[in-house]
Amino acid sequence: MKYPLVLLGCSAALVAFVQPVSAKSAAEIEAVARSVSVEMISGVGSGVLVHRQGDLYTVITNRHVVCANGKVCDEAGIASSHQLKTTDGQVYRIERSGIKMLKDAGGNKLDLAVAQFRSSRNYTVAQVSEPGSLKVGDAVYTAGFPQRQDWLFGQGEAQAVVNKRLVGDRGGYTVVYNAETLPGMSGGGAFNSEGRLVAIHGQGDRFTENTEAGSSYIKQEVGSKIGYNRGLPIRWVVQGLGERGIVVGNRRLPRTVQEGAVAAATADEFFIAGFNKFVDPGENVREGREDAVGQLSRAIALNPKYAAAHFILAYVNTALGKYALALAGYDKAIALNPKFSGAYYNRGNLKKNQFNNSQGALADYNQAITLSPNYAEAYNNRGNLKSDNLNDSQGALADYNQAIALNPKYIEAYNNRGALKHTKLNDPQGALADYNKVIDLNPKFAAAYYNRGLLKAVKLNDSQGALADFSQAILLGQRSGMGLKIEDIYYNRGFLKEDKLNDFRGALADYNQAIALNPKYAEAYLNRGLLKYNKLNDRPGGIQDLRTAARLYRSQGNTAKAQQILDALRKLGVSE
């Protein structure tokens, strides 16, 4: 029996504006960013030191970082206490009373919070850019402390900037940029080419598509990437601090003429509104995505050469299952910007997964890598393509190796390399090492436990270890929302219990659970039927399951398997 395989972000004080100076190098900006950044340990996020008055330091972070539930809350929802770590490794405890939420001049919620702590140590505070100075096309550098690695400094450009509240901007998110971020960087700073704070990062590229590949295993791969992230413009920081008595540059920032959220009117505003709606579609996800299509289409109507809008619209159409429209959108984005590596990457995913165009996908991944040689995700997915579609195991191995070289904590690449070693390169110990590495980096990565369980069951003759791994994969997979088919894990654990452990009742329970989760699981009916008939003395139940399996196989197009079962039943004297 073949086991399926899974492959696979206050007190009054002064904050001074500074006059523009010459641009710094990326290394200089990173040094500045690191010196003013803090890690919000308790809330799993980042923050920026923005002011010092005596021994009192003020940190800006996201509201959702300090909320107990990880979502935007009121002050009553702040966690009881927090800890933050400064760049010298010192850890400071902040009580709930030392954390305040920010609002805009109209009293509307911002996804911003102020945290204060006292220290006699001398820490650098960020220089704040003049509000409204950030423009589309300006360089943007993101910085913070991701969950999977110690530090990340991303480089990109501002894609859309609006300095007023928009309907549905989810707490003030009106800046979009393509600098890299990862989970854990919420609340970290976004800096300009002079190393000055222009925004607070808060929402990252968190959308992946889990896709199935092949008939014998399930594949969970790194999906299409938006590559665009959202932040709150420095205006809301300055204005929010001013509303709490922290004066900026010896003067308060004047209130904007428009105090409340307004409907989009310009191309940039429609772009941001559409992007925000896709990120936060509301309770009716499809309706929210259709609304995003409408907003992005209006942005394109106002600016037909808006490559980013064509790109995001293509992404939304992919999520809606409108693949032809998505392909046309990526084509348009690339025509407008031939150096748009993210569009090539996403188009490659679309060609591979929805159009079965392996050569077209390969060409797109190649181009994405040519344009962005450090594009680890493109190497990973090109490795998947070579492994699954092009029968190029050595090429796949080289791509996974490169993805890991670019990002030594790239758990999906380790997982996929382990699967390649397991299934095609006959290197079970190498596969085990890769799965162990994934679990070491992320003990909650369910797919690695599943794959390691398969390896132990099939190649390493470690039935008890396989049983433990399958059980852990079920526990984590039910909680993770990672797209794993839990019924497959139950099925394989059931087969292990039956075939290796002689636990027939345990196997029956697992087959039952697999069928409860997927009533059309033909193979689970087949195995349960054979188990009942041959080992549990339940011949009527076994015959019923075998008939159901034959019917399901036939309906799913596997007529040969259906006929094989029916022939076996006839030999037992059972008619169809």
Side-chain angles (χ1 to χ4, degrees), residues 115-139:
Q116 293 187 311
F117 69 97
R118 293 187 181 275
S119 175
S120 60
R121 292 179 176 246
N122 185 27
Y123 297 115
T124 305
V125 298
Q127 294 182 332
V128 178
S129 179
E130 181 73 32
S133 63
L134 182 65
K135 301 291 188 295
V136 173
D138 285 355

Side-chain angles (χ1 to χ4, degrees), residues 319-382:
L320 288 168
K322 300 177 180 180
Y323 302 129
L325 289 175
L327 184 62
Y330 288 134
D331 289 345
K332 185 65 175 178
I334 290 168
L336 290 168
N337 180 4
K339 296 184 179 181
F340 202 154
S341 60
Y344 285 104
Y345 169 80
N346 280 11
R347 192 174 70 176
N349 291 335
L350 188 67
K351 289 177 179 178
K352 174 182 180 291
N353 296 322
Q354 274 74 44
F355 290 99
N356 195 29
N357 180 0
S358 298
Q359 292 302 322
L362 179 63
D364 278 344
Y365 291 144
N366 290 344
Q367 186 64 13
I369 290 168
T370 298
L371 292 168
S372 299
N374 295 329
Y375 207 151
E377 293 86 356
Y379 279 105
N380 177 78
N381 279 19
R382 191 174 71 175

Side-chain angles (χ1 to χ4, degrees), residues 323-488:
Y323 302 129
L325 289 175
L327 184 62
Y330 288 134
D331 289 345
K332 185 65 175 178
I334 290 168
L336 290 168
N337 180 4
K339 296 184 179 181
F340 202 154
S341 60
Y344 285 104
Y345 169 80
N346 280 11
R347 192 174 70 176
N349 291 335
L350 188 67
K351 289 177 179 178
K352 174 182 180 291
N353 296 322
Q354 274 74 44
F355 290 99
N356 195 29
N357 180 0
S358 298
Q359 292 302 322
L362 179 63
D364 278 344
Y365 291 144
N366 290 344
Q367 186 64 13
I369 290 168
T370 298
L371 292 168
S372 299
N374 295 329
Y375 207 151
E377 293 86 356
Y379 279 105
N380 177 78
N381 279 19
R382 191 174 71 175
N384 292 339
L385 177 73
K386 290 177 179 178
S387 174
D388 296 339
N389 302 77
L390 301 176
N391 196 29
D392 181 7
S393 297
Q394 291 301 322
L397 179 64
D399 277 345
Y400 294 142
N401 289 343
Q402 184 62 23
I404 290 167
L406 290 167
N407 180 2
K409 295 188 178 182
Y410 195 165
I411 57 176
E412 290 86 358
Y414 282 109
N415 183 72
N416 291 348
R417 190 175 70 176
L420 179 72
K421 292 175 179 178
H422 171 182
T423 59
K424 297 185 178 181
L425 297 179
N426 193 29
D427 181 10
Q429 292 303 321
L432 181 63
D434 278 342
Y435 295 147
N436 289 344
K437 182 66 173 180
V438 175
I439 292 168
D440 178 59
L441 290 170
N442 183 357
K444 296 182 179 181
F445 197 78
Y449 287 98
Y450 180 37
N451 282 2
R452 193 173 69 176
L454 298 173
L455 179 70
K456 290 176 179 178
V458 177
K459 297 288 182 71
L460 300 179
N461 195 29
D462 180 6
S463 298
Q464 291 298 328
L467 180 66
D469 279 346
F470 285 148
S471 298
Q472 186 69 0
I474 289 170
L475 178 65
L476 293 172
Q478 290 170 330
R479 298 174 178 174
S480 70
M482 290 176 62
L484 287 178
K485 287 194 171 183
I486 305 302
E487 60 266 34
D488 286 339

